[in-house]
Amino acid sequence: MGIGQQFLMLQIDKKITSNDLSILIFSDRIAFCTSDQTLYFNLEKKNVNPENLGTWVKYHNIKKKNYKCILFESKGVIVPQKLFDESNKKLYLSLTDDALKNKEIHTKSITSSDQVFVFSQSRDWSLLLKDLAFDIETSHFAAELIPFLSKISDENLKKSVFIHLRKDFFDLFIYQGSQLLLFNSFPQQNEEEFLYYLFFVLEQFFLKTNQFLAIFLGKYHQYQKYYSAFKEFHTLTNFTYPDDSEIESNHPAPFFNYFFDYENNIRKV
């Protein structure tokens, strides 16, 4: 039986050879990302286990040196460090996720802001990825973004609204200086749904048009209609690096294709 038939892919151009690798976990796929390319393992195939995933990784010659495994498949909540109680972590998460049965609950400390991010895992990714790395740390995308965004927002005393566009969702972070006021994720299938949820939240925070700075994380061709639609209502709009219109349009979260290579260099433009 051919490997390509046995292990279904969404896209492949060539083998990954970079030593720096980000592993992004979505509900339907795993994205193995380098700055040059992305290779997908389809999770909708039944009976995914360490053996067939390991065989797939070896077949495609995915080398690794610096790697991070980031979850996009699950929800998460932020708890102030001084109020956090380890025994209540499931309770915290139940406020946003009503399907916690058979899920593992994990936490990640955000030391720069004295917070704890609580999130769930639907699978034991450390076990599934054991053939790729002996000791792999799994985190949540928001827990990775918050320290980065806090550094950027600290430069501005006014409220800043950061928008992270990705497949089927967008994530919203509202800051006052370096203080995070809101993090939440919303569904979207087009620019109309995006604007509906976005302006609903902005209204709750009494953020009026052109009285705050809106910053999109990256700038990508597949979301050009979203940028244009938003700018019709709000002109104080900026973008972080990278400004890359050429990244493949099917990438579920294009900002994270580069984030770990450039997180210390990305700046507002």
Side-chain angles (χ1 to χ4, degrees), residues 90 99-105 121-123:
K90 188 171 184 177
L100 291 176
K101 186 177 180 180
N102 299 324
K103 291 184 179 179
E104 297 182 1
I105 311 300
Q121 282 189 210
S122 60
R123 307 171 191 247

Side-chain angles (χ1 to χ4, degrees), residues 7-10 28-30 40-46 48 56:
F7 305 112
L8 301 180
M9 292 175 293
L10 300 180
D28 62 344
R29 69 189 84 177
I30 305 175
Y40 299 112
F41 181 92
N42 194 332
L43 288 173
E44 293 182 337
K45 178 177 174 58
K46 296 180 179 180
V48 177
W56 183 89

Side-chain angles (χ1 to χ4, degrees), residues 216-268:
F216 286 91
L217 302 189
K219 188 176 183 180
Y220 306 100
H221 178 74
Q222 62 263 46
Y223 298 122
Q224 190 58 52
K225 290 183 178 180
Y226 292 72
Y227 310 143
S228 298
F230 181 68
K231 283 186 175 182
E232 289 184 12
F233 300 94
H234 189 87
T235 57
L236 290 177
T237 304
N238 217 330
F239 299 85
T240 66
Y241 280 138
D243 180 352
D244 189 349
S245 299
E246 301 303 321
I247 189 171
E248 56 101 353
S249 60
N250 291 324
H251 196 293
F255 183 70
F256 272 81
N257 197 69
Y258 298 100
F259 179 60
F260 294 115
D261 285 333
Y262 301 110
E263 60 180 317
N264 294 320
N265 298 320
I266 292 176
R267 61 180 177 82
K268 289 179 290 187

